Amino acid sequence: MSSDTPPVLAEPEGQAPEPVRARSALTEKAGLGDRAFAGSARAAAVFILVIMAAIAGFLIYQAVNAISQDKVNFLTSFAWDPDGNNTNGVPTFGIAAIAWGTLVTSVVGVLLGAPVAIGVALFITQYVPRKLGSFFGYIVDLLAAVPSVVYGLWGLLVLDRHMSGVSKLIEDVLGWIPMFKTNGTYGSSMFTAGVVLAIMILPIVAAISREIYKQTPREQIEAAYALGATKWEMIRLAVLPYGRSGVTSAVILGFGRALGETIAVAMVLTTVPGLVTRILQPGGNTIAANIAVQFGEAFTTGRQALIASGLVLFLMTLIVNYVARLVIRRSTNKAGA
Amino acid sequence: MAKRIDVSGLSAYYGSVRAIEDISLTVEPRTVTAFIGPSGCGKSTVLRTLNRMHEVIPGTRVEGKVMLDDVDLYGAGIDPVAVRRTIGMVFQRPNPFPTMSIYENVAAGLRLNGVRGKSDTDGIVEQSLRGANLWNEVKDRLNKPGMGLSGGQQQRLCIARAIAVSPDVLLMDEPCSALDPISTLAIEDLIAQLKNEYTIVIVTHNMQQAARVSDRTAFFNIEGTGKPGKLIEIDDTPRIFANPSQRATEDYITGRFG
């Protein structure tokens, strides 16, 4: 607030120093420029809130409208036929199947991507000379600059061909778990989508982790070395504990990205209706991909139903972020910092 | 336990900058040797060469010999990690591991040495905390974070952590410079006790402290900015403070410079 600001500091910077003016510095109100700036900043903040409220209101209105026409349970149904194409115009849709697909692909993406990202961050900050490290960091950052649609094309045209071998191997070893059984065909699966997501979230998780690990206090590192720690023991004693909460939030941020990733997943997956539990065989769908694929050909109720599913996705991301905050808060309390 | 350190012709570099030049000195077992001198004179660098901590910083290098009894610490086939396990170090600012409890902090070095059994660990942790004069203050809250202690207690925790692995030598790099006078006194008392079991080398800016705690004192000086630090003299502490053989030492301890 302008009244808190000492008038002396309210003078615009970058001007030549002026001689002390005759006016009393203690009673002088904030200058016109200062008030104008405060006013415009406040207006911008209010404007953002108004826009967000308007968007939320519009989406909720549309969603409620669709859900009220739904003839099955919106949260638990596996069907997606909001325009009633197969049921003589009776809307039947639920988000259970696509929410499941969203979670599964994202979890696969995080499980595969996060360890690699953390490894990359440790390698860059702890194992290579600084110059080489920043070069590697730059290369990893470049991954983030590749457009989603390119990842989608690559996943569909290149990666998917090579996934059948890996998928078959996993089935051979872990096939006794229902999730890893297949009908004999592999690819265009939620697993492939998860691998694409892993690569897509890798740069952000690696970049954040790198910045955190880089800030490990010198004293902690030396404390570990002075006890006779090897490099890896030093990392375990000093670097990993220091970075734990930050890296956890980086991973959860990556998870949030994976949840919302649309076009690459839509291109890779062969969508089939209903719930798909087998992640190695073709099939599966996610909320975001479903919206991208269906929106063009949906009618009024269909569009509103897709908006409703988008709201669910938004809610999921919100919960994920909230959990991330809880994790961070708990681990910082434990550290006593 | 308690070994002799014999340094000869020691120089240390940061990149191409020579920080210390041609240092030779001997540290007797079960004594306290204080390193004093103006800022930048290289006394901390000398200390850090004694347990090969100097080379933890990229681009650094050491020449010369550091003998621990009859082993050259810079000889071929010597593992710096093993050196640091036998020569403990306490730093300027207390640096307990922030995510660990008091107990875990003391046990951290034991875990690195492969001590696993709970009763073994319990015994050594208690013994180390007693050795660091901290046991009575923390015995009821061993599982609380080490960071919850006061600065002086944290520093004693770090000393307990260092002695838990039974080192031959204990190096202290200005261990009291971040502490209040009462905590400083506690550490100084502790040094006097630890002397019975360990060889101790302490870097200090505080000349009264050097006079109080040490048996021998080494004075380091630097000719000018960018010049390497050199050892001016090392002698019994009373002699250094009463009747030093070098003019520069006398000027420094009488406060004429530095």
Side-chain angles (χ1 to χ4, degrees):
Chain A
M1 283 293 105
S2 55
S3 59
D4 297 337
T5 319
V8 193
L9 294 179
E11 297 297 332
E13 288 181 23
Q15 294 187 355
E18 294 173 46
V20 176
R21 278 177 277 177
R23 287 178 296 176
S24 163
L26 294 174
T27 56
E28 187 183 327
K29 286 272 196 291
L32 181 65
D34 193 51
R35 271 179 294 163
F37 178 76
S40 54
R42 196 176 304 139
V46 170
F47 185 60
I48 292 284
L49 285 178
V50 168
I51 288 184
M52 281 178 64
I55 292 175
F58 172 77
L59 291 181
I60 291 170
Y61 170 76
Q62 302 264 319
V64 166
N65 201 11
I67 293 171
S68 66
Q69 296 175 46
D70 196 358
K71 293 292 176 264
V72 293
N73 190 315
F74 174 65
L75 289 179
T76 56
S77 169
F78 297 138
W80 191 268
D81 189 12
D83 289 317
N85 295 331
N86 306 317
T87 50
N88 297 324
V90 179
T92 50
F93 60 95
I95 45 110
I98 52 177
W100 161 258
T102 307
L103 281 176
V104 169
T105 50
S106 301
V107 167
V108 170
V110 166
L111 287 182
L112 296 177
V116 176
I118 291 170
V120 166
L122 284 175
F123 179 70
I124 286 174
T125 55
Q126 309 297 327
Y127 282 93
V128 291
R130 184 161 303 168
K131 270 190 184 158
L132 206 57
S134 33
F135 173 73
F136 275 127
Y138 177 69
I139 297 287
V140 175
D141 286 346
L142 268 185
L143 278 180
V146 178
S148 302
V149 66
V150 175
Y151 278 112
L153 278 173
W154 175 79
L156 182 67
L157 301 176
V158 182
L159 178 71
D160 203 46
R161 266 188 291 140
H162 300 285
M163 287 305 290
S164 45
V166 183
S167 302
K168 187 169 182 333
L169 186 75
I170 295 175
E171 190 193 10
D172 288 346
V173 178
L174 293 172
W176 49 276
I177 304 172
M179 187 177 262
F180 298 114
K181 260 205 309 243
T182 71
N183 56 7
T185 56
Y186 307 98
S188 290
S189 61
M190 291 198 280
F191 182 58
T192 306
V195 173
V196 173
L197 287 175
I199 298 168
M200 293 180 76
I201 66 167
L202 195 143
I204 181 79
V205 179
I208 298 175
S209 307
R210 191 177 74 212
E211 289 311 310
I212 291 163
Y213 288 145
K214 220 193 268 178
Q215 289 165 19
T216 311
R218 185 92 225 142
E219 293 117 64
Q220 297 302 321
I221 293 173
E222 300 211 322
Y225 275 137
L227 280 176
T230 60
K231 184 137 216 163
W232 167 236
E233 288 166 338
M234 181 281 288
I235 289 172
R236 259 175 35 209
L237 277 174
V239 178
L240 293 182
Y242 173 79
R244 189 171 53 194
S245 64
V247 170
T248 305
S249 66
V251 169
I252 295 177
L253 191 70
F255 186 65
R257 290 221 160 177
L259 287 177
E261 175 48 42
T262 310
I263 199 68
V265 176
M267 292 170 79
V268 169
L269 282 179
T270 305
T271 55
V272 296
L275 183 71
V276 178
T277 55
R278 297 177 169 186
I279 68 169
L280 297 175
Q281 72 185 38
N285 206 348
T286 71
I287 294 178
N290 189 52
I291 294 174
V293 172
Q294 304 266 344
F295 205 84
E297 50 205 50
F299 298 104
T300 314
T301 315
R303 293 191 167 197
Q304 292 177 341
L306 289 171
I307 287 171
S309 74
L311 274 179
V312 171
L313 178 62
F314 173 66
L315 215 62
M316 281 164 71
T317 331
L318 212 64
I319 292 169
V320 164
N321 281 325
Y322 180 70
V323 168
R325 276 166 195 273
L326 276 187
V327 169
I328 292 166
R329 195 179 308 156
R330 222 184 47 193
S331 58
T332 41
N333 280 351
K334 203 181 161 203
Chain B
M1 283 273 199
K3 291 185 177 165
R4 174 199 315 272
I5 303 175
D6 213 330
V7 177
S8 52
L10 184 79
S11 298
Y13 300 80
Y14 292 95
S16 57
V17 179
R18 178 147 49 171
I20 52 170
E21 185 179 22
D22 197 22
I23 308 279
S24 298
L25 55 84
T26 303
V27 177
E28 296 295 335
R30 294 200 173 78
T31 61
V32 177
T33 302
F35 287 1
I36 62 169
S39 293
C41 70
K43 54 192 189 301
S44 284
T45 305
V46 175
L47 191 79
R48 293 167 62 89
T49 58
L50 300 185
N51 67 341
R52 298 193 63 168
M53 277 296 283
H54 178 66
E55 64 205 72
V56 166
I57 299 165
T60 52
R61 162 167 82 80
V62 175
E63 286 168 2
K65 263 188 179 175
V66 177
M67 302 293 291
L68 185 68
D69 279 357
D70 47 7
V71 180
D72 182 4
L73 299 184
Y74 287 92
I78 297 288
D79 180 5
V81 170
V83 169
R84 291 180 209 126
R85 286 186 190 191
T86 48
I87 303 184
M89 193 166 196
V90 176
F91 294 85
Q92 193 167 350
R93 283 182 37 192
N95 56 358
F97 296 116
T99 51
M100 292 186 189
S101 68
I102 293 168
Y103 182 97
E104 287 168 340
N105 261 288
V106 182
L110 297 175
R111 303 251 186 269
L112 296 181
N113 281 309
V115 177
R116 288 278 176 259
K118 177 149 171 32
S119 61
D120 289 356
T121 313
D122 283 355
I124 298 174
V125 165
E126 177 175 345
Q127 193 189 325
S128 308
L129 285 168
R130 282 187 192 281
N133 287 343
L134 192 60
W135 175 253
N136 287 329
E137 292 157 64
V138 300
K139 64 182 174 197
D140 298 324
R141 45 171 172 158
L142 291 175
N143 292 317
K144 293 271 156 44
M147 295 300 273
L149 300 172
S150 75
Q153 288 173 324
Q154 286 186 24
Q155 193 63 299
R156 278 179 282 149
L157 178 62
C158 292
I159 293 174
R161 181 175 67 187
I163 62 179
V165 292
S166 312
D168 296 323
V169 179
L170 203 52
L171 306 178
M172 298 183 160
D173 190 358
E174 299 185 39
C176 303
S177 64
L179 304 182
D180 64 84
I182 294 174
S183 306
T184 299
L185 204 62
I187 303 276
E188 288 182 6
D189 288 345
L190 178 56
I191 291 171
Q193 288 172 30
L194 292 171
K195 183 171 92 165
N196 298 320
E197 285 184 71
Y198 301 98
T199 306
I200 297 176
V201 183
I202 177 171
V203 168
T204 178
H205 260 121
N206 179 335
M207 280 180 281
Q208 284 77 22
Q209 182 169 64
R212 280 192 301 261
V213 302
S214 72
D215 304 297
R216 309 230 334 141
T217 297
F219 173 64
F220 294 84
N221 203 358
I222 188 170
E223 282 170 9
T225 320
K227 298 265 177 61
K230 287 181 180 168
L231 176 66
I232 304 302
E233 64 176 311
I234 176 168
D235 211 331
D236 291 341
T237 299
R239 181 184 282 271
I240 286 277
F241 281 93
N243 188 20
S245 60
Q246 298 291 322
R247 181 66 193 273
T249 315
E250 188 175 346
D251 285 353
Y252 182 71
I253 59 173
T254 53
R256 242 166 271 167
F257 85 101

